[in-house]
Amino acid sequence: MEKGMVVKALAGKEKNQVFVVIDVAENYAYIADGKRLKKDKPKKKSVKHIQKVSTKRFPIEELEINDEKVNASIRKFIKNL
């Protein structure tokens, strides 16, 4: 898993929902959808419970910005897949 990847949750409350990977740490990925799971409070999810769904990537430069507009960008990016 890498930052900016588009993934689908395979287990848990978020099952079958699409997310953007915000950060990666060992066997975990921090995911956000811009709605319920914001960029500043992402969900910690095991990499075995998520699956890559698109070759498109969310721009990593935008993930570095701390602004509410990033969440709107994530929502728009996921919607347009």
Side-chain angles (χ1 to χ4, degrees):
M1 289 291 130
E2 296 176 16
K3 282 185 176 183
M5 290 178 87
V6 179
V7 296
K8 178 175 83 170
L10 300 175
K13 187 190 323 186
E14 302 84 17
K15 187 175 183 178
N16 294 326
Q17 293 180 15
V18 179
F19 300 93
V20 171
V21 176
I22 302 299
D23 200 6
V24 179
E26 294 191 23
N27 293 329
Y28 294 96
Y30 292 88
I31 59 175
D33 62 1
K35 296 177 205 161
R36 188 177 69 84
L37 299 172
K38 307 283 186 178
K39 181 206 171 263
D40 54 336
K41 287 206 65 151
K43 169 84 175 183
K44 181 180 177 183
K45 196 91 166 150
S46 174
V47 293
K48 66 182 181 180
H49 292 148
I50 56 178
Q51 176 183 33
K52 180 180 172 185
V53 293
S54 177
T55 56
K56 287 186 174 182
R57 288 180 181 242
F58 188 78
I60 296 172
E61 310 83 51
E62 285 194 44
L63 292 176
E64 304 302 324
I65 301 169
N66 289 327
D67 191 358
E68 182 60 32
K69 293 180 182 178
V70 176
N71 291 316
S73 297
I74 292 172
R75 288 191 303 268
K76 187 174 182 180
F77 182 78
I78 290 172
K79 184 180 177 183
N80 292 329
L81 285 178

